[in-house]
Amino acid sequence: MSIRTVRVLMAAAMAFAAVTCGRQAPDLGIAFVRSVTGTAVRVSGLTAAETSALRAASWGAAEWRPLLRVSVEQAGDVSVAGDYAIGVDAVEFTPLFPFDAGRTYVVRFDPARLPAPRHVPIVESRLVAVATPRPSPTTVLDIFPSGNTWPANALRFYIQFSGPMARDAGTRHVHLLDAAGGAVDDGLFTPVVELWNRDQTRYTALFEPGRMMPGLLPNLQLGRPLVPGRQYTIAVDRDWPDAEGQPLSEGFRRSFMATAPRDQALNMNDWQITVPPAGAADALVVRLPSALDRALLERGLSVESAAGAVAGRIAIGPNETEWRFTPVAAWAPGPYRLRAIPELEDIAGNRLALPYEQTAASPAGAPSNESRLTRVLVIK
Amino acid sequence: MPSGRFTKRAAGWAVVLCAIAALLSVRSLRARSVDAGATLQSIGAIAFAPDGVLIAADPSAQALVAISLPPEPRGAQPSATSGVVDVDEISRKVAALLGTGVEAVTLVDLAVHPLLHSAYLSVIRGHGARARPVVVRVGASGELEVVNLANATMTSVAFPSSRGTDPAGRGNRLLTVTDAAVSDGRVFVAGVSNEESAGGLWSVAYPFAPESSMTVADVLVANRKQARMRAALLSLLPLPIGGQPQLLAGCLCSSLLTVSVADVVAGRSVLGSVRLEMGVSNVPVDIVAYERDGQTFFLMSTGARTLLKMSDFRTVRSGLEAPTGAPVATGEAIAAMNGIEQLDLLDGARGVAIVRDPAGARRLTTFPLP
């Protein structure tokens, strides 16, 4: 006889003793209660003998479920995963994850499944977790590139939202339309991977990668999705759900003209830099001959002095063609370095001294090559 | 599929590309450290090591985590002949298990335990800041169980941190791990960045040790005009070719590449040779290989949500040829599996997949290998 069997028999004996002592079992009740671990479901009205018997039975989840089952309404017979606890006159179920606000849960307690069965009807209750006020619907703040001309070999674009979005298939809600409003077939990447930032407020959409790589089959089959000289629109559907399950406050559209492919490596020497005077905390301004990738521009440039990185605030100017750096403290006179990360690139994937399509004639462009990634500035 | 002509051309390309690759740089950055007391902040792609340890990507922590799973419940393991059973409406059932609705769960990946033949799912419950990582095990009778990770031993190794400033501390740059494979004592990881135009191929010695660190290299793909472009990978399958360990890699550019394992080392370039071209929107999402009557076959799920059975491209070729010099993939479409989203081998005779029907319902299904 196993230890578990002994425990069950002991529990049954204790419950039987309680009943035969003539005690009247109280009515059973089901309610949400707050516990230290969050909201739990409590079934009250058990006798001390019944809870003692449960304690002695030392059940696992598989044995608890026939007695106390919590499930999502209209979700069939699947029980919510969670932990069971036994009190003096009650048992509690705490879900593995907090109950969803506003969702209805069905709680079913079958007294006949107690170690010493209590032959009263099954108690079933529907509980609704308290709904919290929903935040305002999420909006699309912008699409980057923000300019109205995009190179025909643009690899991607970013959709910036005002709040977290649901982890949903983005390209079901994002469309590339031609000038007539028709969808550009196979223009955007089928979302077998979803590229979000950490808080799901920014979605990266890719143009079909195979079509963007000259000489590979998809490019030879259909060419690039964007044709220079033609007008296109990125349309974001209103029904894209946010993290609260709400649709966007409204759809969003961004039209642009496709221009000639951009296939030249970036060169820091082409950048126009306005160096502020010493003693002031004015912004150092870098004006770019063509737009850089918004995300990389936000993190890809920094200013260093002999003492190390200069603390300051970065702002991106119109159409991602301007980078402004305002120091926390006034500039001291002396030499500085504007430093770029090797990954800094434009929206077509061209990097400093390294075009997206590299040929044998391209500079080797070792990422560690200091000269191509820095520019010396002198503040007087 | 491959022929002598193809082999010569591929060999020629390999020589050219190797020479080019030698000129190109490779990032080889040191991971921060190994954390022997790790917990999961989030979960992405999963794969099993041969010893039954679950390898999981943790996108929020930008780490790879080795999870020694707690023992499976007694009697719950499938036998060699039973294996995973079909589970209809698996998204809805997983959601119900996690106490929520189907709209709040994401089935991220599927992997089969190599020793116990149980299916495991990596799942995200919720969205945004409330998203939580979950591992769900599918039992022998199709019952679903949340794996208690509190009882699991986890060791993580960090991906090299992204370069540059992040003044707002928002962690906008995020690597999405798309696949992982363990071969010859190393874990290889494919991933796609949500910013720069590169994925990468990461590798780290396995089992993770205190001195373990992750290396990463750009993968390049070349066309016939000798233009070389950075490629992002979706799937990895260790595969020996000519007695040399290789990785068969599904590329976001709708091609199948091979990468020499010997090249995936710190300070060296990683070169992808185009082996098969799949055509528009037909990216290789999952690839498995199996033997039948002494011949190797591949099953490949694609971005078009189809399942293709292909003969071994190393020995057979189609009459078609893509301009890269690689053959255009042809294969037998398995119509019954249309809508496939996840694929793994259950054993030598069966596969397991998650298939989404036109109405949007997903089912976990066990099928005989064709």
Side-chain angles (χ1 to χ4, degrees):
Chain A
M1 189 177 295
S2 70
I3 292 174
R4 174 164 291 191
T5 306
V6 171
R7 281 179 173 161
V8 169
L9 290 175
M10 286 175 59
M14 291 165 71
F16 178 76
V19 171
T20 53
C21 284
R23 293 177 196 164
Q24 181 66 41
D27 291 340
L28 297 167
I30 296 175
F32 274 146
V33 293
R34 297 290 300 172
S35 71
V36 290
T37 53
T39 300
V41 168
R42 173 179 287 171
V43 179
S44 58
L46 298 175
T47 66
E50 286 169 333
T51 55
S52 295
L54 281 168
R55 221 170 276 118
S58 190
W59 280 349
E63 291 140 322
W64 270 101
R65 278 185 214 119
L67 174 68
L68 171 56
R69 196 180 80 196
V70 179
S71 55
V72 176
E73 188 180 46
Q74 297 182 331
D77 58 357
V78 178
S79 299
V80 176
D83 296 318
Y84 297 84
I86 306 164
V88 176
D89 60 355
V91 292
E92 285 187 4
F93 170 83
T94 304
L96 200 55
F97 301 96
F99 291 116
D100 287 348
R103 194 176 298 282
T104 301
Y105 296 88
V106 179
V107 183
R108 182 181 187 275
F109 186 83
D110 184 356
R113 299 296 192 125
L114 284 163
R118 194 201 289 192
H119 296 291
V120 294
I122 291 171
V123 182
E124 189 169 289
S125 182
R126 280 171 167 69
L127 302 177
V128 182
V130 176
T132 52
R134 288 186 162 191
S136 301
T138 305
T139 60
V140 174
L141 296 178
D142 212 341
I143 288 178
F144 300 103
S146 57
N148 55 14
T149 58
W150 295 13
N153 58 343
L155 298 173
R156 59 187 173 273
F157 56 91
Y158 303 98
I159 303 172
Q160 184 69 55
F161 297 92
S162 63
M165 295 292 290
R167 192 180 302 273
D168 200 9
T171 53
R172 289 200 293 118
H173 305 288
V174 186
H175 311 281
L176 175 64
L177 308 177
D178 59 23
V184 177
D185 291 338
D186 297 312
L188 300 179
F189 177 56
T190 306
V192 293
V193 291
E194 294 287 325
L195 301 176
W196 291 96
N197 66 347
R198 190 165 298 172
D199 59 7
Q200 287 175 235
T201 57
R202 193 191 67 192
Y203 181 79
T204 305
L206 304 179
F207 289 103
E208 177 60 40
R211 295 183 65 180
M212 303 312 301
M213 301 177 81
L216 295 191
L217 183 60
N219 176 269
L220 291 156
Q221 288 175 314
L222 294 177
R224 291 186 177 115
L226 304 179
V227 177
R230 293 188 184 173
Q231 191 79 16
Y232 296 92
T233 298
I234 302 293
V236 179
D237 293 337
R238 180 176 180 271
D239 66 359
W240 197 343
D242 66 12
E244 301 294 329
Q246 304 176 102
L248 297 171
S249 60
E250 57 185 348
F252 190 90
R253 297 171 81 88
R254 162 65 49 77
S255 295
F256 63 91
M257 175 77 76
T259 58
R262 203 176 289 158
D263 53 10
Q264 299 298 309
L266 307 179
N267 187 338
M268 285 184 103
N269 293 324
D270 295 337
W271 299 357
Q272 188 181 76
I273 302 178
T274 303
V275 180
D282 296 345
L284 182 150
V285 181
V286 178
R287 291 190 177 82
L288 306 158
S290 57
L292 294 191
D293 177 274
R294 171 77 184 205
L296 292 166
L297 196 52
E298 285 178 345
R299 71 176 170 91
L301 287 175
S302 59
V303 179
E304 296 175 354
S305 70
V310 179
R313 181 170 46 85
I314 292 168
I316 309 299
N319 303 339
E320 295 80 61
T321 56
E322 185 179 284
W323 184 83
R324 302 175 70 89
F325 178 80
T326 306
V328 171
W331 295 102
Y336 291 82
R337 283 177 184 272
L338 177 68
R339 181 179 295 279
I341 59 172
E343 295 87 354
L344 183 67
E345 61 188 36
D346 64 19
I347 204 68
N350 301 300
R351 297 182 176 181
L352 287 161
L354 204 61
Y356 178 65
E357 290 178 52
Q358 303 158 34
T359 66
S362 298
S368 58
N369 185 335
E370 183 77 3
S371 63
R372 74 184 182 92
L373 299 174
T374 59
R375 189 159 153 189
V376 176
L377 313 168
V378 178
I379 291 185
K380 302 173 182 172
Chain B
M1 303 293 272
S3 70
R5 182 175 159 217
F6 164 66
T7 305
K8 286 177 187 172
R9 182 164 287 161
W13 273 111
V15 169
V16 171
L17 293 174
C18 282
I20 291 164
L23 299 174
L24 299 174
S25 59
V26 169
R27 287 172 284 149
S28 174
L29 305 176
R30 290 274 151 186
R32 285 193 304 271
S33 63
V34 170
D35 181 356
T39 56
L40 275 184
Q41 296 179 29
S42 61
I43 196 162
I46 55 173
F48 275 99
D51 58 1
V53 169
L54 184 67
I55 308 291
D58 184 342
S60 292
Q62 291 288 272
L64 198 64
V65 185
I67 306 172
S68 295
L69 295 167
E72 295 191 355
R74 280 174 303 163
Q77 297 94 333
S79 69
T81 53
S82 63
V84 180
V85 296
D86 286 9
V87 182
D88 289 333
E89 296 191 273
I90 189 160
S91 288
R92 184 187 62 76
K93 288 175 179 172
V94 168
L97 178 72
L98 303 179
T100 191
V102 70
E103 75 287 350
V105 297
T106 306
L107 305 187
V108 184
D109 204 3
L110 160 75
V112 174
H113 195 297
L115 306 175
L116 302 176
H117 306 290
S118 303
Y120 284 76
L121 304 170
S122 58
V123 178
I124 300 171
R125 184 199 191 277
H127 302 286
R130 292 199 297 271
R132 295 291 178 269
V134 186
V135 176
V136 171
R137 191 182 68 84
V138 183
S141 317
E143 75 278 11
L144 304 176
E145 178 195 40
V146 178
V147 175
N148 187 352
L149 295 176
N151 293 342
T153 304
M154 294 191 231
T155 305
S156 76
V157 59
F159 286 94
S161 55
S162 60
R163 285 180 276 218
T165 56
D166 183 14
R170 299 186 64 178
N172 270 335
R173 195 262 190 188
L174 209 58
L175 166 74
T176 296
V177 170
T178 50
D179 202 4
V182 182
S183 177
D184 295 331
R186 294 168 78 186
V187 183
F188 296 91
V189 180
V192 183
S193 165
N194 66 340
E195 292 187 350
E196 64 268 25
S197 64
L201 185 57
W202 289 258
S203 70
V204 59
Y206 178 83
F208 301 160
E211 65 275 14
S212 295
S213 63
M214 191 113 61
T215 60
V216 57
D218 285 340
V219 177
L220 301 176
V221 61
N223 64 17
R224 178 172 283 186
K225 295 177 181 175
Q226 300 188 23
R228 308 172 304 281
M229 295 154 282
R230 292 180 290 274
L233 306 180
L234 282 176
S235 45
L236 294 174
L237 177 69
L239 183 75
I241 297 179
Q244 299 300 312
Q246 302 265 333
L247 292 171
L248 184 63
C251 175
L252 214 60
C253 58
S254 300
S255 299
L256 267 182
L257 316 176
T258 51
V259 174
S260 169
V261 167
D263 288 347
V264 189
V265 294
R268 293 277 302 276
S269 297
V270 173
L271 174 67
S273 299
V274 178
R275 292 288 185 161
L276 284 175
E277 292 235 51
M278 307 294 294
V280 169
S281 296
N282 226 4
V283 294
V285 178
D286 280 317
I287 313 168
V288 297
Y290 62 99
E291 302 288 327
R292 174 67 48 81
D293 300 327
Q295 189 178 351
T296 302
F297 292 94
F298 297 92
L299 277 182
M300 179 190 305
S301 64
T302 74
R305 302 305 185 196
T306 56
L307 184 64
L308 295 177
K309 176 191 178 185
M310 299 188 305
S311 303
D312 192 341
F313 63 85
R314 294 167 295 184
T315 56
V316 184
R317 70 172 306 167
S318 70
L320 298 171
E321 183 180 283
T324 51
V328 175
T330 57
E332 173 193 349
I334 313 297
M337 302 297 285
N338 282 352
I340 185 168
E341 293 186 334
Q342 304 287 347
L343 169 69
D344 201 358
L345 284 181
L346 179 58
D347 52 36
R350 293 170 299 168
V352 60
I354 294 177
V355 178
R356 181 174 179 167
D357 69 22
R362 293 178 173 88
R363 78 175 193 281
L364 182 79
T365 183
T366 303
F367 63 98
L369 294 173

